[in-house]
Amino acid sequence: MKIDFSLNDKKVSVDTLPEKRLIDVIREDFGLMTTKNGCYSGECGSCIVQLEGNTVPACQVPVFAVRAKHVVTIEGFMGTERYLDIISAFNDVKCVPCPFCFAGKILAVDSLIDSRRSPETSEIMSLLSDHSCSCTSVSAFVEGVKIAYQNREIRGELMR
Ligand code: FES
Ligand code: FES
């Protein structure tokens, strides 16, 4: 089945089984390997992408469900100022996620700080619990997310 959708702001088309998982299409058909596959059960957070602006685990999305929709992966997101808000904050606190968590955490943090209110520590901890992560300092991660929010606020992209 031919499926047309937008991938990182480009119109793309893939001819594949409709039930093929989006994570496999992203990696195998488009070669976007920074987005990781882990548990394939929606638990580890490594495969997160943005679908119509919302974060979703791409292992739980059949590719037919993205027809005519907008998908953004970490590869596309890395070219944005929004990405710089987050990565510079994680650099500041020396808490850049390792390759397993990188895509999922960065995109999840983007959604959290885009909710236009200062994220509470409990919300950040909750976000972290959605990821199977074994190599993060929790306190540094919390601090990094708060700095990322401030970075975005300074750029004037958040409204109160
Ligand atoms: S591979 Fe999708 S949540 Fe783990
Ligand atoms: S940052 Fe390495 S497993 Fe999460």
Side-chain angles (χ1 to χ4, degrees):
M1 173 186 265
K2 185 166 171 271
I3 295 160
D4 300 316
F5 63 106
S6 163
L7 180 60
N8 295 331
D9 290 328
K10 288 186 188 143
K11 289 185 178 175
V12 297
S13 184
V14 64
D15 196 357
T16 189
L17 293 172
E19 67 271 23
K20 187 170 180 178
R21 295 171 193 248
L22 179 60
I23 183 61
D24 292 335
V25 170
I26 287 168
R27 289 172 57 84
E28 294 169 10
D29 294 273
F30 293 99
L32 300 176
M33 306 301 275
T34 309
T35 306
K36 301 300 185 200
N37 49 7
C39 66
Y40 277 106
S41 62
E43 300 291 330
C44 74
S46 67
C47 67
I48 283 177
V49 300
Q50 292 181 339
L51 174 59
E52 297 290 287
N54 300 309
T55 54
V56 295
C59 69
Q60 298 298 293
V61 179
V63 68
F64 74 82
V66 306
R67 174 179 267 164
K69 294 188 175 167
H70 297 276
V71 175
V72 175
T73 69
I74 189 65
E75 289 88 348
F77 187 72
M78 285 168 77
T80 66
E81 287 191 311
R82 298 162 69 86
Y83 171 75
L84 294 177
D85 295 336
I86 298 166
I87 199 67
S88 66
F90 282 148
N91 273 318
D92 286 350
V93 298
K94 300 186 172 32
C95 187
V96 176
C98 76
F100 178 74
C101 276
F102 189 80
K105 273 192 185 168
I106 298 279
L107 290 175
V109 167
D110 179 65
S111 289
L112 180 64
I113 65 176
D114 199 36
S115 58
R116 298 172 192 269
R117 58 194 163 77
S118 184
E120 301 289 337
T121 297
S122 59
E123 293 173 304
I124 300 169
M125 301 276 284
S126 172
L127 181 156
L128 192 56
S129 72
D130 291 337
H131 297 258
S132 299
C133 181
S134 57
C135 68
T136 284
S137 156
V138 175
S139 59
F141 182 76
V142 169
E143 189 184 355
V145 173
K146 291 186 175 182
I147 293 172
Y149 177 85
Q150 290 163 6
N151 289 344
R152 192 160 295 176
E153 194 173 40
I154 289 166
R155 283 200 304 106
E157 199 174 306
L158 296 165
M159 294 186 297
R160 291 191 182 273

